[in-house]
Amino acid sequence: MKFAHLLAASTLAVMAAGGVHAKTLVYCSEGSPEGFDAAATTAGTTMDAAAGTILNGLVQFEPGTTNVQPALAESWEVNEDGTEYTFKLRPGVKFHTTDYFTPTRDVTADDVIFSFDRQGNADSPWINYLPGISYEYYNSMEMPALVKEIQKVDDLTVKFVLTRAEAPFLANLAMPFASIISKEYADQLEADGNLSALNSQPIGTGPYQFVAYQPDAVIRYQANPDYWNGAQAIDDLVFAITPDPAVRRQRLEAGECHVMPYPAPADIEALKGNDTLQVMEQAGLNVAYLAYNTTIAPFDNPEVRRALNMAMNKEALVEAVFQGTGVVAKNPIPPTMWSYNDAVEDNPYDPEGAKEILAAEGVDGLTMEVWAMPVQRPYMPNARRTAELIQADFAEVGVNVNIVSYEWGEYLKRSTDPTRTGAVILGWTGDNGDPDNFLAVLLGCAATGDGGANRAQWCNEDFDKLIQDAKVTTDVAERTRLYEEAQVVFKDQNPWATLAHSTVYMPMSAKVQGYVMNPLGRHSFEGVDLAE
Amino acid sequence: MIRFFFGKLAYLIPTFIGITVVAFGFVRLLPGDPVLLMAGERGITPERHALLSAQLGFDRPIVMQYLDFVGGLFQGDFGTSLATRRPVLGEFLTLFPATVELGLCAILLATLIGIPLGVFAAIKRGSAFDQISMGAALVGYSMPIFWWGLLLIILFSGILGWTPVSGRIDLLYFFPNGTGFMLIDSLMSGQSGAFRSALSHLILPSIVLATIPMAVIARQSRSAMLEVLSEDYVRTARAKGMTPWRVVGIHALRNAMIPVITTIGLQIGVLMAGAILTETIFSWPGIGKWMIDSISRRDYPSVQGGLLLIAGIVMIVNLVVDLLYGIINPRIRHS
């Protein structure tokens, strides 16, 4: 018995050595995903593990850009007033065949309707198929109010009827929450009473299909042999979950993985100096800011906010905190985004001028709080250090700063309180490449109040009208004009001190070919190859 | 002995109730709201917040939440993780073998090195060996685990390339999770090289995790040995002309080991604490890393369920140690 076992083992080993060598790409990912339902998450880690790897949407972002291009929908038409979107589906797209599911039909309009309906229909068993599940993106993109109806025109044609024109709609459909999943598979799970498998044993149409997941350790995928957009050069894709950035770096350098995200800023120079590696970089679609509470004196006075912004030496701040991995921000949207208004002039660094304005506004001996986040985020490597530099700058103009910090969950909670005193350091990474996703989400009147993302509690009629008009206009030139103007209003009113846009780095083995950085911060391995 | 056993067992009940209160209360004392953490920078409307809190049961009075929690325990339900939406007990059982494997290797390493070190230091009291080894133990005891782990990774994995950086096995090997113990599973998988890979992945984390217990065991063995060596019966044995090695081997060692066994038992708790950091550094998919992740996500059910299970295991181990102690040293039963 033992001998037979040994024999089998050695035969296997010989076969493995002599057989065709499978190409495996190992990605040292930063954390464990919650599962593989891209609609049920706000976590980038989960979106990476599910969307783009296993799943596809009707449309997708063209690699490396935020332009929308066809995916499961070959083409689409929008009616005159922008309230009806008719999508033509790509014929012959297959869902994954795995040991737990064998599809009997290709992707149809039914799958599209199901994929959205399950997130919004309170009568669907899928609305709470996991304990505590919430479809946060579906809700925060206002889909329940926006989508009046999704009609099946025929098997390969599906029509979205909207309650009003919504310019960012198409970009929203390229986001992970709008991924298309199999209705047939969902029905099978329902019949088996095994709904939670939708999250743990996913089925999609993407370039890779799911094999196994061991939380906190490893996710395994294999190439989808029937992928509609062509077979992948990589046979096996492995996510090696490695939360510590220093350890990720060691694994990359030791060749245990081929690609790693989120390197520590201090390691970047050394990684660039390593000949066996390549380090890609790209301006992040993000902004770091200091939000005053514009409803509380003296910060309700735009001149006081201007003076404080003028007291801030942002060049020095970005240099010290980002160490060359970021640029000074003057607008609330990043320079890589369309409608960025480069004509806007930032507040000059002018402590003397700042003192004069403060004196003219009768502000004397001001003591304020600056809140520093306790965590590192892609847009802000070190909030504490940032706060200290702001403290020193403000002291120059006679403003006394107390730095406060709370545990992250508490920080997020307290920072939305409308009665909050003090200015909060925070930031944002774009979801869909649309300016609306920054300007309306972070600075619109609707986002003020307890729990809202408008941490400045800033509600400016002129600004709000501009962004509201831009949201319902489908003409991109007109939208651009409106957003450019909104940025002028923003700078005139200074609800924030805009601090920086960070640079995002992706170190990888020099053998990796065809990897394209995603401006929205997603990580996708479609079309990637490994040189032998 | 039976009375002693049941006495110890009865003592467990109030302790266990106390632990449920602490585990439940602890996560709720943590600042931050899980619902808001899910929303992140994005923020959330009060209506959504209320809806989500209700779905998760966080809107119920705290006493009711506690009773739900305890009631669930009696049905073997430790709650459902907010992060993975899977039963906490299932998560625990999947991850626990990894921690046990690492912990056993570490305690074995700590014992095999710590006891001889302490015993020799005691015998050669005042010698250079004594001073150096006890100095090293002190350094080991005060070593920040995170820094120590990274240092070893950089040296042995980065510069020398002798050991893998992290994880439990080379990812090229793929076989089903049988026992959950990688050393056993890799042997059973029949894949050549898998066992060696699993073993090599254990080296650094075991050393890191063993460092503090090793230091404690070495110091405890030394002082226990010194105490025993000054006892009358040892002096008598010496006076009768026994060689020092025989004195130690026959008389002293057995008695000196009694407090050392307690110490080793008590190190289980320390080991759990060390595992949290060690597993995080080495991406070791065990309980320690799971607890850290759960705390940072405010995954209430996982944290309270996990704490309870860990506390339960530490209690059981301590009970076994107490009983062993009672067997080795009958005097303790009556005191």
Side-chain angles (χ1 to χ4, degrees), chain A residues 22-46:
Chain A
K23 254 189 203 179
T24 304
L25 181 93
V26 181
Y27 169 61
C28 270
S29 65
E30 77 285 4
S32 300
E34 302 150 296
F36 299 89
D37 185 348
T41 186
T42 54
T45 308
T46 306

Side-chain angles (χ1 to χ4, degrees), chain A residues 136 256 379 407 431 451 455, chain B residues 41-42 44 48 165 298:
Chain A
E136 274 317 289
E256 288 179 24
Y379 50 75
E407 178 283 328
D431 294 309
R455 260 92 183 179
Chain B
E41 288 95 325
R42 166 164 294 281
I44 191 166
R48 285 289 304 157
V165 181
R298 297 295 177 279

